[in-house]
Amino acid sequence: MSGLFREETAVKKFMNSVDTVLTESLDGFVAAHADILVLGDEHKFIRRKTLRPGKVALISGGGSGHEPLHGGFVGHGMLDAACPGQVFTSPTPDQMLAAAEAVDTGAGSLFIVKNYEGDVMNFDMAAEMSEGVQQIVTNDDVAVENSSYTTGRRGVAGTLVVEKIVGAAAEHGLALAPLKALGDRVNTATRSMGVALTSCTVPAAGKPTFDIGDGEMEFGVGIHGEPGRRRDTLKSADAIAQEICAAILGDLGDKAKGPALLFVNGFGGTPLMELYLMYNSARAIFEKHGVTVTRSLVGSYVTSLDMAGCSITLTMLDEETTAFWDAPVHTAALRWGM
Amino acid sequence: MSGLFREETAVKKFMNSVDTVLTESLDGFVAAHADILVLGDEHKFIRRKTLRPGKVALISGGGSGHEPLHGGFVGHGMLDAACPGQVFTSPTPDQMLAAAEAVDTGAGSLFIVKNYEGDVMNFDMAAEMSEGVQQIVTNDDVAVENSSYTTGRRGVAGTLVVEKIVGAAAEHGLALAPLKALGDRVNTATRSMGVALTSCTVPAAGKPTFDIGDGEMEFGVGIHGEPGRRRDTLKSADAIAQEICAAILGDLGDKAKGPALLFVNGFGGTPLMELYLMYNSARAIFEKHGVTVTRSLVGSYVTSLDMAGCSITLTMLDEETTAFWDAPVHTAALRWGM
């Protein structure tokens, strides 16, 4: 039992030992979704069971602890493979190469990478060692310009939107260059910002990543619990939504008019009841500004282990991106139309 | 801001005031799913936007705080309406009557009720004041024989399975009496048990429902945080799964052979990574016993606000119930085949 405890404080997690949390979870994940998913050797990647020859292969990945991102988005209409790193740790180039080899059917591969130094470096290395690879780097987080782990903005929940829309376009038959352009366009049309009410606890650390008082929140928090804009006293849902939406709208500028996808994302420890309440606040603010919320997503999709908190993402849509958002998808975490 | 604070301790929830948590959340919920859902007057119920004349109407409900249950299961292939009570408080007969009036198209109504005294009493009253109503009372929790709020076993996560299978059968055209019989049969084939690692916090109470030490868990906890079998020291995931699965298998007796649905449910504060790890443990135990896991569901579907913990549900399947489980469903929280 020693693996469950650190400094005489129990880690309040369902696990057998810190060393096997990831592999046991992946084994369960692929067993539960064996109709659509296969696990790569040595747990290097999760891939679609059935590949479609001639389709550009979409590969993503990153540190674990953000589930269902990215493994939960592998399947028809979204990713072909996802590489899970250790918790909050970039996957290795070796994993990406193995994934690319497993799912590339000759039309090339597109890596979708969240902007963190480790991820970018390792995906870059894998791309250099492969042929016919392009990359999209997501950086939708408006909270901070640079952060603990990034030069430039962090890639957060908006990555889901890029993966869904580019995934549908790949299924539709788009080639590598236009897919890369589409992904960059969706990323540019997307802004996010989050707030944490509690810290997450990394299993191997055994204690909260950061301390936060009973009456405090971390405004602009990152998805690894890294600092945001400031520590503040806990505000009402409307006040929190107001500040996040203002940051998003301010950053979008003139683009913040017309149809949009509003995505309220939970960080893992926040129940749906509160997420829908935040959605209600955010939607009213955006619509008052001239945004028309034509598509919605509410749930815990890009998480930070057990952190209580949420992020708000707005993606400005056009006719093409709306159609790709609506297109059929069949993954563990997102499914419609099939 | 006073509504956010109790006894100088901030309630770490996204909310504007304790009095409007439920209505604001419902407003957001129905706005996000306006393509399929409509809110009844005075927030009395959530119903399908489009009704199907001649189909038996399925109506459920219960205290709020268990989201997505039940509102998240309203839509094609599942419920016609759901009545949300205040947090952990039964809805009123008035709500059920309003819902039944709104969705009954002449083929009768079936109430699906979790076994709690308040829910049973209020649904009974509504049934007596209506015509052509039958009821299914779910009681899948093997943890305790009687509890704080029940005579007999509590109805917990297995209620989702009853709602899905009976919902598909209603869509398929089954009449009221066979639907009632099918629901009772699915309930009888279903067993659940849960464990809590932390308490939940009811917004209006402003503090945790129960105290639990750093190294403790509540074994057999109810979905309102009510006591289970015992308080124990935190065990490994395998040890927890072993005891839950043994209780389920022991109670099912000779029936625990052959095809089954394994449903690992999060209570709201537990991330997917841990739920899939628990699924992995539970599946191995059930399969060793002679159960064949042919269908799976993993996620936070029947929650207890922000409680960390999970439950394991096993439903023994046959050809008919498997087909109804697989049938198309389009609700906010469960969707496939359409």
Side-chain angles (χ1 to χ4, degrees):
Chain A
M1 296 296 299
S2 65
L4 285 175
F5 296 88
R6 285 287 182 281
E7 297 172 10
E8 297 183 338
T9 303
V11 183
K12 286 228 158 175
K13 292 183 185 296
F14 293 111
M15 61 183 192
N16 291 308
S17 86
V18 292
D19 301 328
T20 56
V21 168
L22 180 58
T23 53
E24 289 179 60
S25 183
L26 287 171
D27 286 340
F29 178 67
V30 172
H33 303 286
D35 53 332
I36 58 168
L37 300 178
V38 174
L39 193 58
D41 286 343
E42 302 168 37
H43 297 83
K44 279 184 183 170
F45 58 85
I46 295 156
R47 74 162 177 90
R48 291 193 200 190
K49 192 172 176 180
T50 310
L51 299 176
R52 192 166 151 195
K55 190 188 84 69
V56 173
L58 300 195
I59 299 165
S60 190
S64 293
H66 306 300
E67 290 71 26
L69 184 85
H70 298 270
F73 306 142
V74 174
H76 182 96
M78 235 165 144
L79 301 176
D80 292 86
C83 303
Q86 291 296 320
V87 172
F88 293 174
T89 303
S90 301
T92 60
D94 180 46
Q95 290 180 263
M96 296 144 195
L97 287 169
E101 189 176 345
V103 300
D104 185 349
T105 62
S109 296
L110 185 59
F111 292 168
I112 302 178
V113 186
K114 299 191 301 300
N115 188 35
Y116 296 99
E117 282 166 12
D119 291 26
V120 168
M121 186 176 70
N122 289 354
F123 273 102
D124 272 349
M125 282 179 63
E128 281 166 23
M129 294 163 75
S130 313
E131 282 184 26
V133 171
Q134 297 250 16
Q135 297 190 68
I136 296 167
V137 178
T138 63
N139 61 350
D140 51 308
D141 190 346
V142 301
V144 290
E145 283 305 319
N146 297 290
S147 78
S148 323
Y149 308 119
T150 60
T151 304
R153 291 176 172 188
R154 303 174 295 213
V156 290
T159 310
L160 177 156
V161 184
V162 173
E163 292 180 357
K164 172 66 185 80
I165 290 175
V166 174
E171 215 69 58
H172 191 69
L174 261 69
L176 187 55
L179 281 178
K180 151 81 176 154
L182 175 66
D184 287 339
R185 182 156 68 85
V186 175
N187 179 58
T188 302
T190 299
R191 298 290 188 287
S192 301
M193 191 159 131
V195 57
L197 305 190
T198 70
S199 175
C200 49
T201 296
V202 175
K207 58 182 185 182
T209 302
F210 60 90
D211 291 319
I212 184 163
D214 275 352
E216 290 184 327
M217 62 178 178
E218 178 66 28
F219 213 88
V221 71
I223 58 173
H224 310 91
E226 65 269 38
R229 291 186 167 190
R230 67 175 190 282
R231 186 64 54 92
D232 201 347
T233 54
L234 184 59
K235 299 289 197 299
S236 71
D238 281 346
I240 294 170
Q242 185 63 54
E243 184 166 344
I244 293 178
C245 295
I248 289 170
L249 289 168
D251 204 79
L252 279 168
D254 292 345
K255 286 189 285 192
K257 297 282 173 203
L261 163 69
L262 172 54
F263 169 26
V264 174
N265 173 60
F267 283 148
T270 289
L272 269 182
M273 175 182 266
E274 295 175 50
L275 298 180
Y276 278 111
L277 191 150
M278 285 298 288
Y279 172 91
N280 192 51
S281 294
R283 181 176 175 132
I285 295 162
F286 284 136
E287 298 230 314
K288 194 174 171 191
H289 184 84
V291 171
T292 308
V293 176
T294 55
R295 295 295 182 273
S296 301
L297 186 68
V298 181
S300 294
Y301 293 101
V302 180
T303 62
S304 308
L305 294 166
D306 51 355
M307 190 158 80
C310 75
S311 61
I312 297 174
T313 296
L314 192 73
T315 299
M316 305 314 300
L317 294 172
D318 57 31
E319 212 169 301
E320 183 187 33
T321 52
T322 300
F324 285 138
W325 177 260
D326 289 346
V329 60
H330 184 176
T331 68
L334 275 192
R335 184 171 178 184
W336 55 72
M338 60 192 299
Chain B
M1 298 296 299
S2 64
L4 286 176
F5 297 87
R6 286 286 182 281
E7 297 171 10
E8 296 183 340
T9 303
V11 183
K12 285 228 158 175
K13 292 181 185 297
F14 294 111
M15 61 183 192
N16 292 307
S17 86
V18 292
D19 301 329
T20 57
V21 168
L22 179 57
T23 53
E24 288 178 61
S25 183
L26 287 171
D27 286 342
F29 178 68
V30 173
H33 304 286
D35 52 332
I36 58 168
L37 300 177
V38 174
L39 194 59
D41 285 344
E42 300 168 41
H43 297 83
K44 279 183 183 168
F45 58 86
I46 295 156
R47 75 162 177 87
R48 289 193 202 190
K49 192 171 176 182
T50 310
L51 300 175
R52 189 161 152 200
K55 189 189 85 69
V56 172
L58 300 195
I59 299 165
S60 190
S64 293
H66 306 300
E67 290 70 25
L69 183 85
H70 298 273
F73 306 141
V74 174
H76 182 96
M78 237 168 141
L79 301 175
D80 291 271
C83 303
Q86 291 295 319
V87 172
F88 293 174
T89 303
S90 302
T92 60
D94 179 47
Q95 290 180 262
M96 295 145 196
L97 286 169
E101 190 176 346
V103 299
D104 185 349
T105 62
S109 295
L110 184 60
F111 292 169
I112 301 178
V113 186
K114 299 191 301 299
N115 188 34
Y116 296 98
E117 282 167 11
D119 291 26
V120 168
M121 186 176 71
N122 290 354
F123 272 102
D124 272 348
M125 283 180 61
E128 281 166 23
M129 295 163 77
S130 312
E131 282 183 26
V133 171
Q134 297 250 18
Q135 296 190 68
I136 296 167
V137 178
T138 62
N139 61 350
D140 51 308
D141 190 346
V142 301
V144 290
E145 284 303 320
N146 298 290
S147 79
S148 322
Y149 307 120
T150 60
T151 304
R153 292 178 172 186
R154 302 174 296 212
V156 291
T159 310
L160 176 156
V161 184
V162 173
E163 293 181 356
K164 172 66 184 81
I165 290 175
V166 174
E171 215 71 56
H172 191 69
L174 260 70
L176 188 54
L179 281 178
K180 151 80 175 154
L182 175 67
D184 287 338
R185 182 155 68 86
V186 175
N187 179 58
T188 303
T190 299
R191 299 290 188 286
S192 301
M193 192 158 129
V195 58
L197 306 190
T198 70
S199 174
C200 49
T201 297
V202 175
K207 58 180 186 187
T209 302
F210 60 89
D211 292 319
I212 185 163
D214 275 351
E216 290 184 326
M217 62 178 178
E218 178 67 27
F219 213 88
V221 71
I223 57 173
H224 311 90
E226 64 268 38
R229 290 185 168 192
R230 67 175 190 282
R231 187 64 55 91
D232 201 346
T233 53
L234 184 58
K235 299 288 197 299
S236 71
D238 281 346
I240 294 169
Q242 185 62 54
E243 184 167 343
I244 293 178
C245 295
I248 289 171
L249 290 168
D251 205 80
L252 279 168
D254 293 344
K255 286 189 285 193
K257 298 281 172 203
L261 163 70
L262 172 54
F263 169 25
V264 175
N265 173 60
F267 282 148
T270 289
L272 269 182
M273 174 181 267
E274 296 176 49
L275 298 181
Y276 278 111
L277 191 150
M278 284 298 288
Y279 171 91
N280 192 51
S281 294
R283 182 176 176 132
I285 294 162
F286 284 136
E287 298 229 314
K288 194 174 172 192
H289 184 85
V291 170
T292 308
V293 176
T294 55
R295 295 293 182 275
S296 302
L297 186 68
V298 181
S300 294
Y301 293 102
V302 179
T303 62
S304 307
L305 294 165
D306 50 356
M307 192 158 82
C310 75
S311 60
I312 297 174
T313 295
L314 192 73
T315 298
M316 305 314 300
L317 294 172
D318 57 31
E319 212 169 299
E320 183 188 33
T321 53
T322 299
F324 285 139
W325 177 261
D326 289 344
V329 61
H330 183 175
T331 69
L334 276 191
R335 184 171 179 184
W336 55 72
M338 60 192 298

